[in-house]
Amino acid sequence: MASVLRAVKKPRMISTTSAMKEEFTKHVDYLNELNDKRERVVKASRDVTMNSKKVIFQVHRANKDNKEEVLLKAEKDLAATTEQYMSRLVKELQGTDFWKLRRAYSFGVQEYVEAATFCRFCRKGSLLGLNEINSTLAPLSDQNDEPLQINALDYLLGLADLTGELMRLAIGRISDGEVDYAQRIRRFVQDIYRELTLLAPMMDDNAEMKKKMETMLQSVMKIENACYSVHVRGSEYIPLLGTNEVDYSFMGLTDFDS
Amino acid sequence: MNMGSSLVANPMRRSNELYVAEISSKKPLISTKKKEKHRRWREKISIFRAHNGDPLEAIRAPFLENGDPLELLLSPHSFRPTVRNLRLPRISSHIRRFSDASIPPPTMESTSPSDIYVTADARGIGAGSDGGHESSLAVTSSMGSHFGGFIVQMEKSGNIRERIRSLASEIEATNRVMHAGLLLAHQPLPIPEVLKKAESQRVVLRDLYGRLAEILHECPGQYYR
């Protein structure tokens, strides 16, 4: 009897453990793949950040003598950044997980927006819109994949950073004597600040934007103070306003040479 | 079976039942404060925009709508010094909110950033002020229309976010009821009886997740946003 029972006795199978292990193996594979993708996206985003900063530094080198050639070079560098580095970012994202991996590439995109809008302002004096930027990125994506489109949040954060660069530009232009240009920058920055004041509370997770708004206010006030000082004390700045000739007319005296 | 004696015999069961009854009677936590805050913010934006983005005009207008301020002050009959007459939209407080945090000591006499927005362009600073003023108005208006689109977008996503939040709080309340019912498993009770309460909440939970899926269908590709 015991031998018969032993013969029909089935071996014990721990089936639940193997099914659970299989399930978790799938999760592990998925997470590993996602982390690898995230690493590659972060690397591509860093390259975009670095090259966008180079474009911004290039634009800052412009003055009234070399403006055209410097801007041309900056625009070429921006186009190269778009073709080489933004396209790599697009390739790594592969048309998926735009919002899932947003934190990985947001800083790069913000820097890119800052560089692109900065170039546009220096060239034409106007604001480069989000649709225009996205239209330049659309050809980079594969036809089968969903194209990478910069979202409004990253665009607005990039725009907030732009005001800091415009502040540096305005101060630089004032020291070179281009006061009118500085006034245009002042108006432009004030407009951006006013519009973003309305938008900032509505943004998702607006802690970052709140910090940028504080910095933006400082930039606006620096530009305003500089323009105000030049306007009120303008006579003391005559040697800076484009002429090297000494002029004593503000003291009520005639020129010694005439 | 005598119910009274069973309750007396098992006071723990009685207190657990009362606990479950208390939780299920609580209303879901809908963030009415946030809705109210959002509604007030939208009102202020419309006032601000109605006055072409001019903060001082937006503040002055309601005051002037009550008539000539001097007349109001002098006439004992028409002007009643109530809070209603003197109420002004608090646009400036929102502008101030961003400036108060780290505002340096004022370098300009009796000017604030909001004043400069109004007066600087009015004075037409810089050479060629007329042409410069017109071009600046053109830039301002184009920027306004550009950003107007963003405001609409943010409002829409804010509304969806509010709906998701209220639904999430309802889901959380249902989960609490289920969890409280399942805690009875630690008591010497038959398992089917313990599961009965949790099972009844399963239908509610399924319905809530269905509503969440409908909301997420309205914004495709933004699940992780």
Side-chain angles (χ1 to χ4, degrees):
Chain A
M1 186 64 175
S3 60
V4 169
L5 281 172
R6 265 199 299 272
V8 298
K9 194 175 172 183
K10 286 180 189 172
R12 264 190 205 166
M13 302 276 284
I14 315 174
S15 58
T16 48
T17 307
S18 67
M20 202 187 290
K21 195 173 177 183
E22 222 175 88
E23 187 66 35
F24 274 87
T25 308
K26 280 189 221 164
H27 296 319
V28 164
D29 291 339
Y30 172 75
L31 287 171
N32 283 336
E33 230 175 87
L34 184 66
N35 285 332
D36 289 340
K37 185 175 177 182
R38 184 181 284 123
E39 289 294 316
R40 292 194 304 268
V41 166
V42 164
K43 172 85 179 54
S45 167
R46 267 194 226 129
D47 292 335
V48 169
T49 305
M50 215 165 60
N51 287 279
S52 302
K53 281 191 189 294
K54 281 183 188 164
V55 170
I56 292 171
F57 295 147
Q58 179 70 21
V59 173
H60 274 303
R61 286 191 200 113
N63 54 40
K64 53 189 171 190
D65 300 321
N66 64 0
K67 183 178 175 181
E68 197 51 47
E69 61 176 287
V70 166
L71 278 182
L72 205 61
K73 181 154 189 334
E75 280 161 3
K76 276 188 191 157
D77 289 345
L78 186 66
T81 304
T82 310
E83 278 169 28
Q84 290 173 26
Y85 301 104
M86 282 300 282
S87 63
R88 211 164 83 211
L89 181 63
V90 167
K91 193 178 132 200
E92 296 299 350
L93 283 166
Q94 293 165 358
T96 57
D97 302 330
F98 293 128
W99 285 104
K100 201 187 228 178
L101 297 176
R102 186 188 153 228
R103 293 268 170 228
Y105 65 86
S106 176
F107 293 116
V109 163
Q110 287 175 38
E111 209 63 44
Y112 177 77
V113 165
E114 190 185 340
T117 47
F118 195 34
C119 280
R120 169 60 70 91
F121 177 79
C122 291
R123 175 61 78 187
K124 293 187 183 171
S126 61
L127 179 66
L128 178 67
L130 177 57
N131 293 336
E132 277 183 84
I133 298 181
N134 281 333
S135 62
T136 58
L137 295 180
L140 301 175
S141 306
D142 201 18
Q143 278 179 357
N144 301 326
D145 293 338
E146 201 178 319
L148 170 67
Q149 299 282 278
I150 296 175
N151 58 70
L153 303 170
D154 289 334
Y155 174 77
L156 292 171
L157 289 166
L159 214 57
D161 290 334
L162 170 70
T163 53
E165 299 302 330
L166 287 174
M167 182 268 293
R168 280 179 60 198
L169 185 71
I171 303 297
R173 294 304 97 231
I174 286 174
S175 9
D176 281 350
E178 292 179 72
V179 181
D180 291 342
Y181 193 36
Q183 296 289 357
R184 267 178 45 207
I185 295 172
R186 176 190 57 82
R187 279 189 285 269
F188 188 74
V189 172
Q190 283 173 341
D191 286 340
I192 292 179
Y193 180 73
R194 192 178 62 237
E195 297 293 346
L196 287 180
T197 301
L198 294 173
L199 269 172
M202 294 188 188
M203 289 173 65
D204 318 345
D205 298 329
N206 59 0
E208 205 180 334
M209 191 56 166
K210 275 185 185 165
K211 271 188 242 161
K212 287 187 195 256
M213 289 300 293
E214 288 172 15
T215 311
M216 200 188 313
L217 179 64
Q218 301 301 318
S219 303
V220 168
M221 289 176 72
K222 277 181 194 163
I223 301 175
E224 287 170 351
N225 284 343
C227 294
Y228 173 79
S229 302
V230 168
H231 183 76
V232 167
R233 301 163 59 190
S235 54
E236 297 176 25
Y237 287 81
I238 287 176
L240 296 177
L241 294 178
T243 172
N244 289 326
E245 293 175 6
V246 177
D247 184 0
Y248 295 100
S249 57
F250 66 90
M251 289 169 68
L253 301 172
T254 55
D255 282 345
F256 287 119
D257 293 340
S258 61
Chain B
M1 196 166 94
N2 190 352
M3 284 296 292
S5 64
S6 71
L7 285 174
V8 168
N10 195 349
M12 282 298 288
R13 180 181 171 180
R14 180 161 177 259
S15 65
N16 282 334
E17 282 179 349
L18 284 173
Y19 175 65
V20 168
E22 191 186 25
I23 287 173
S24 55
S25 69
K26 275 187 186 163
K27 289 188 181 166
L29 301 167
I30 298 168
S31 56
T32 50
K33 273 187 191 171
K34 281 217 169 125
K35 278 186 187 170
E36 182 58 32
K37 188 178 164 188
H38 208 216
R39 186 190 62 77
R40 280 203 303 262
W41 186 247
R42 266 184 271 154
E43 267 177 22
K44 281 164 190 167
I45 288 170
S46 59
I47 293 167
F48 192 72
R49 288 214 168 270
H51 294 92
N52 296 322
D54 187 336
L56 287 186
E57 276 305 318
I59 291 163
R60 279 192 216 116
F63 188 64
L64 292 175
E65 272 162 22
N66 290 327
D68 183 14
L70 191 60
E71 198 186 313
L72 282 173
L73 284 169
L74 294 177
S75 161
H77 303 290
S78 58
F79 181 58
R80 289 179 195 171
T82 60
V83 174
R84 198 174 31 187
N85 293 67
L86 297 172
R87 191 173 60 203
L88 300 173
R90 282 179 281 168
I91 304 278
S92 55
S93 65
H94 286 280
I95 294 172
R96 220 179 295 123
R97 200 201 308 167
F98 289 108
S99 51
D100 273 348
S102 55
I103 197 164
T107 53
M108 284 177 278
E109 289 174 33
S110 65
T111 50
S112 66
S114 55
D115 285 338
I116 288 161
Y117 298 152
V118 172
T119 57
D121 280 332
R123 276 181 288 157
I125 293 170
S129 60
D130 288 336
H133 189 55
E134 278 173 13
S135 66
S136 72
L137 280 175
V139 169
T140 306
S141 63
S142 72
M143 208 184 275
S145 59
H146 186 69
F147 279 87
F150 286 134
I151 288 179
V152 169
Q153 220 177 337
M154 295 295 158
E155 265 188 17
K156 200 175 155 190
S157 68
N159 288 339
I160 291 175
R161 207 174 275 272
E162 283 300 321
R163 284 164 62 195
I164 292 174
R165 266 194 206 118
S166 65
L167 209 56
S169 61
E170 284 181 51
I171 290 172
E172 197 193 351
T174 310
N175 279 335
R176 269 187 276 131
V177 171
M178 282 177 83
H179 184 67
L182 288 170
L183 282 174
L184 290 171
H186 296 291
Q187 308 304 320
L189 296 167
I191 295 294
E193 198 180 320
V194 168
L195 290 177
K196 198 173 151 189
K197 190 103 189 165
E199 284 284 332
S200 65
Q201 293 299 317
R202 204 158 62 137
V203 177
V204 176
L205 202 60
R206 197 183 297 156
D207 175 58
L208 289 171
Y209 274 109
R211 279 162 57 189
L212 184 62
E214 278 170 23
I215 295 173
L216 290 173
H217 275 310
E218 291 173 24
C219 37
Q222 297 193 35
Y223 179 84
Y224 288 100
R225 183 177 171 183

